[in-house]
Amino acid sequence: SEPGIESFSLQVETRQGVVQLSGFVDSQAQIDQALAVTRGVTGVTEVENGVTLKGTPSTMGTKIDDATVTGLVKTALLADPEINSLDISVVTFKGEVQLTGFVNSQGQIDQAIQIARATEGASSVKNELSIKQ
């Protein structure tokens, strides 16, 4: 409900009071605003910032390619029986894939990163995954 934040490209994952923010925004001010609002929510005990600045604007072709990469990563994660892919959020911007969420083990984190890196169109992978506690 915070004015202006609804337009940010953010993913929010929460587990036992710990909130992970990830995604891509245009300015540091947007990151600061999102962090401040999140910290002000009742029940939030910790905020993990995985938000990245976009840099130069993307083109329509890049946006389509990013959506395709995100879809390919999600599909590959769903196909892996060792990973509970519903616990993982995937966002892509200019080929950089961000993985966020809470998983059961370091092995699942390593496998998710490996899958994302092997995906056609993924130029890099930013790991923001945490182990459930």
Side-chain angles (χ1 to χ4, degrees):
S1 66
E2 183 72 21
I5 288 186
E6 74 278 352
S7 65
F8 298 179
S9 296
L10 296 176
Q11 297 287 321
V12 180
E13 297 292 327
T14 306
R15 180 165 172 82
Q16 298 179 348
V18 178
V19 177
Q20 290 180 332
L21 294 179
S22 62
F24 299 90
V25 297
D26 295 318
S27 70
Q28 184 62 47
Q30 290 176 325
I31 294 173
D32 295 342
Q33 183 182 7
L35 291 172
V37 169
T38 304
R39 287 184 182 115
V41 173
T42 302
V44 172
T45 58
E46 182 181 345
V47 179
E48 297 177 358
N49 177 21
V51 181
T52 301
L53 293 173
K54 287 182 182 176
T56 58
S58 61
T59 64
M60 183 53 80
T62 303
K63 288 180 185 176
I64 292 169
D65 290 344
D66 287 342
T68 300
V69 172
T70 295
L72 291 170
V73 172
K74 286 181 178 182
T75 300
L77 290 171
L78 279 168
D80 191 312
E82 301 298 316
I83 296 175
N84 185 357
S85 61
L86 299 178
D87 291 339
I88 301 174
S89 292
V90 181
V91 181
T92 307
F93 183 74
K94 292 186 178 178
E96 179 183 329
V97 177
Q98 275 190 352
L99 303 174
T100 58
F102 297 90
V103 297
N104 294 324
S105 68
Q106 184 63 48
Q108 288 181 340
I109 291 173
D110 296 342
Q111 182 66 10
I113 292 169
Q114 183 179 2
I115 288 170
R117 284 187 178 141
T119 301
E120 183 178 352
S123 59
S124 63
V125 176
K126 183 176 181 184
N127 172 34
E128 295 292 334
L129 294 168
S130 294
I131 298 172
K132 293 177 185 177
Q133 295 183 3

